[in-house]
Amino acid sequence: MDSDRVKTGASRVPHRSLFKAMGLTNDELDRPLIGICNSQTELIPGHIHLDTICEAVKHGVLANGGTPLEFPSIGVCDGIAMNHIGMKYSLASRELIADSIETVAMSYGFDGLVLIPNCDKVVPGMIMAAARLNIPAIIISGGPMLKGKVQNKNVSLSDIFEAVGAFNSGKISEEVFMEFEEETCPTCGSCSGMFTANSMNCLTEALGVALPGNGTIPAVYAKRVALAKDSGKQIMYLVKNNIRPRDILTEKAFKNALAVDMALGCSTNSMLHLPAIANEAGYEIDLNMANEISGRTPNLCKLAPAGAHFIEQLYDAGGVLAVMKELSKKNLLELDCITVTGKPVADNIKLAVNYDNNIIRDIDKPYSETGGIAVLKGNLAPNCCVVKRSAVAEEMLKHSGPAKVYNSEEEVISAISDGCIEEGDIIVIRYEGPKGGPGMREMLSPTALLAGMGLDKKVALITDGRFSGATRGASIGHVSPEAALGGPIALVQNGDIISIDIENYSISLEISDEELENRRKSFVAPEPKIKTGYLARYASMVSGADKGAVLERGF
């Protein structure tokens, strides 16, 4: 056992003594040691209840011959961190989470790992750690929040951010605005639409690193606790049979994840996290691959913010496995990939049923023949940029307009609030990338303000930062190279015409090559916004968004 290095032999008697100081018995030390990384915190609604999930996991481990040993992880709630300096730390926290899990697991020689995330960067951070460590591991998340209800209308987090714009522009009363505050987030769990947290939790099933149901069983359902017990049981199976993350996280598994991503219409943040996870597993996801898979994968779901459906309804309709079953009808999945069930994808989806083809469209009657995310390229984004195509109004799929340029999220929010944005404008928000931000802030506030004011079908946004999974509209992020590196987005001037053609995967700054080169010659990189602490170190090491914003190896 891997844990023998901390507990076996005469030289490890001091180590055993230290374990016994924590109350462990000889019987417990003789069993496989299972590390349980629990990201429970009183700071995130998706994580407030994870102590219950962790206890259930421990029951599963104990009942099947293992010794569970709990340790913590940090986490950031993107909603609470939104639109202030805290958001600079959100994406950057992913690397801290992976590094801290590696540190603890290597120090204690765990025989297996159960990883308990739920929101945003915690899910990919934990999967990255599992791939890096390559000891038997399983993900069990906290589950999605139930939808809210305001004025007898079903709502989620994106609606309350949009309500800010509606209130500021006089479209709703203060009474209704306060009702949004009280009723939008009615339970614990990850926010109820297909935002980043639920996107990544659904993709744990597609990757094969979590049991069926992990992405969609609501946080408050008893079945979520039962799934946690089953996950505790299953880690013991994985340890016994030496099934490791890199046996599961194969190149084929990432293709499956991309296909499910496109079918579900996941957050554009998946285009950061899947490459980062693949990097730890020893693969490279070229975002051209995402377009290739998107080009042949139909969009089967319209979940909030792209549509009126919520994760609990996806669960009722059959969940992720039902989506995968639909995709398999046109041979769009690699069915021989092994998963944490110990079985291949083909066996996992065999009994899946699509109970509601209004929630999960039949493969022959999709919302669109192409997937929910598109990767665009052009002289404005030579490496790439990303848009959630399924959340863009049809009239904005192709659009040209004058640029209005802002050098921070704060600047653009002021401009929107002051009425400076007009129909047809293309808003450019730069110096918000991984290095320039630093931290590549997620920007839900400006997109939600525009939507609340009724401009989401009339204005486009382009940034080297990123947009929330709760964003809808022609919101194009991850522009690479970023402005801080002198990418073309740094050279855009007010009034420049920008052309966007999402269906043809293109984005262009309509100036000559000569003019672009002249502007480049006069470009001077700005001073770093943050010069001390973790973010300064992060900015010095982080790769571009097109590479997943991973920390580049310094050796």
Side-chain angles (χ1 to χ4, degrees):
M1 291 189 290
D2 286 351
S3 60
D4 284 347
R5 71 173 184 261
V6 297
K7 66 182 187 181
T8 300
S11 65
R12 296 299 183 259
V13 166
H15 303 60
R16 292 176 69 90
S17 179
L18 289 166
F19 276 117
K20 288 181 177 181
M22 296 180 281
L24 271 72
T25 66
N26 284 329
D27 285 344
E28 288 175 309
L29 287 172
D30 289 342
R31 298 170 187 157
L33 301 185
I34 307 300
I36 302 178
C37 185
N38 182 10
S39 58
Q40 193 276 336
T41 173
E42 295 181 350
L43 299 171
I44 309 174
H47 293 229
I48 191 77
H49 64 302
L50 294 187
D51 50 350
T52 300
I53 300 299
C54 188
E55 286 305 308
V57 169
K58 290 177 182 178
H59 283 300
V61 171
L62 287 166
N64 290 275
T67 298
L69 298 170
E70 181 184 350
F71 65 100
S73 166
I74 65 166
V76 173
C77 174
D78 277 18
I80 294 173
M82 194 71 65
N83 191 27
H84 60 85
I85 192 172
M87 181 49 70
K88 293 178 183 288
Y89 288 86
S90 175
L91 180 60
S93 73
R94 186 187 69 183
E95 319 308 312
L96 287 176
I97 290 163
D99 289 352
S100 63
I101 293 170
E102 175 194 1
T103 299
V104 175
M106 293 303 293
S107 298
Y108 286 84
F110 294 133
D111 299 298
L113 278 172
V114 182
L115 302 164
I116 309 176
N118 208 27
C119 290
D120 293 292
K121 313 312 158 297
V122 189
V123 181
M126 288 191 172
I127 305 174
M128 288 165 66
R132 186 187 302 174
L133 289 160
N134 201 35
I135 60 176
I138 192 168
I139 302 288
I140 168 64
S141 302
M145 183 185 292
L146 298 183
K147 63 183 182 293
K149 184 159 284 194
V150 174
Q151 300 285 291
N152 206 35
K153 176 189 174 185
N154 294 329
V155 297
S156 66
L157 186 70
S158 59
D159 295 285
I160 192 170
F161 271 91
E162 292 178 13
V164 176
F167 175 69
N168 288 342
S169 60
K171 293 181 181 294
I172 61 172
S173 67
E174 185 174 358
E175 290 74 20
V176 172
F177 194 33
M178 289 302 99
E179 188 176 348
F180 271 101
E181 179 178 326
E182 295 296 333
E183 304 297 339
T184 297
C185 299
T187 71
C188 62
S190 48
C191 297
S192 57
M194 188 53 80
F195 312 143
T196 305
N198 290 324
S199 294
M200 294 311 301
N201 282 324
C202 287
L203 294 181
T204 64
E205 293 189 50
L207 286 168
V209 294
L211 293 178
N214 186 61
T216 59
I217 298 173
V220 294
Y221 282 18
K223 285 187 177 179
R224 175 60 58 175
V225 177
L227 187 71
K229 291 178 182 176
D230 287 341
S231 298
K233 174 183 178 181
Q234 200 62 20
I235 189 60
M236 299 311 300
Y237 171 87
L238 296 172
V239 169
K240 180 180 178 181
N241 291 278
N242 197 30
I243 299 174
R244 296 173 180 254
R246 292 187 200 170
D247 300 325
I248 296 168
L249 293 170
T250 62
E251 188 172 3
K252 287 183 177 181
F254 286 105
K255 290 181 179 179
N256 283 348
L258 285 167
V260 173
D261 189 332
M262 300 305 166
L264 287 171
C266 289
S267 165
T268 52
N269 283 316
S270 64
M271 293 298 101
L272 290 171
H273 300 320
L274 288 175
I277 296 166
N279 178 65
E280 296 289 355
Y283 299 100
E284 180 179 347
I285 291 183
D286 183 338
L287 291 184
N288 289 323
M289 184 194 305
N291 272 351
E292 178 190 339
I293 291 173
S294 180
R296 64 172 182 262
T297 306
N299 179 217
L300 303 180
C301 300
K302 285 279 191 182
L303 296 147
H309 303 143
F310 300 85
I311 302 298
E312 64 191 86
Q313 293 169 290
L314 177 61
Y315 169 68
D316 291 337
V320 175
L321 290 193
V323 175
M324 295 176 74
K325 183 77 168 282
E326 290 293 336
L327 293 175
S328 73
K329 293 176 182 178
K330 288 196 173 180
N331 300 314
L332 294 171
L333 292 179
E334 304 283 353
L335 298 178
D336 59 343
C337 293
I338 195 68
T339 69
V340 291
T341 65
K343 301 173 184 177
V345 170
D347 287 359
N348 291 346
I349 67 173
K350 189 177 295 182
L351 299 179
V353 177
N354 181 358
Y355 294 106
D356 189 340
N357 55 24
N358 291 315
I359 307 296
I360 304 171
R361 288 282 185 91
D362 296 335
I363 192 73
D364 293 319
K365 297 179 181 179
Y367 284 103
S368 68
E369 294 294 339
T370 53
I373 290 176
V375 178
L376 316 182
K377 287 189 177 183
N379 67 343
L380 183 58
N383 293 353
C384 79
C385 56
V386 179
V387 64
K388 188 170 183 174
R389 172 168 46 192
S390 60
V392 179
E394 186 173 353
E395 56 265 42
M396 291 298 292
L397 291 171
K398 189 171 185 178
H399 178 72
S400 292
K404 285 190 175 172
V405 183
Y406 303 93
N407 289 335
S408 70
E409 180 185 10
E410 288 81 3
E411 285 186 17
V412 77
I413 288 174
S414 293
I416 295 170
S417 300
D418 291 344
C420 299
I421 305 303
E422 301 173 351
E423 292 185 15
D425 284 345
I426 294 183
I427 299 169
V428 176
I429 316 168
R430 61 193 182 192
Y431 299 109
E432 290 287 4
K435 286 184 181 292
M440 200 181 184
R441 280 195 288 186
E442 188 173 274
M443 291 178 280
L444 176 56
S445 292
T447 60
L449 281 173
L450 290 169
M453 296 164 65
L455 290 174
D456 57 298
K457 297 180 181 179
K458 301 169 183 176
V459 172
L461 296 92
I462 299 171
T463 184
D464 54 6
R466 59 196 177 93
F467 291 114
S468 167
T471 289
R472 61 187 173 97
S475 302
I476 299 167
H478 307 196
V479 171
S480 303
E482 62 176 286
L485 293 177
I489 191 172
L491 311 178
V492 181
Q493 296 178 1
N494 283 317
D496 285 347
I497 300 299
I498 296 174
S499 296
I500 301 162
D501 189 344
I502 293 172
E503 292 299 304
N504 289 303
Y505 308 107
S506 72
I507 184 166
S508 300
L509 178 62
E510 302 295 346
I511 63 173
S512 67
D513 291 344
E514 291 78 13
E515 173 63 18
L516 193 62
E517 185 58 32
N518 286 335
R519 293 183 189 181
R520 183 174 286 112
K521 289 176 181 176
S522 60
F523 171 75
V524 177
E527 284 287 310
K529 294 178 183 177
I530 293 179
K531 299 180 181 180
T532 60
Y534 173 55
L535 283 181
R537 296 197 305 275
Y538 177 86
S540 72
M541 300 171 67
V542 69
S543 74
D546 56 311
K547 301 295 184 183
V550 298
L551 296 186
E552 295 180 316
R553 295 177 174 88
F555 49 86

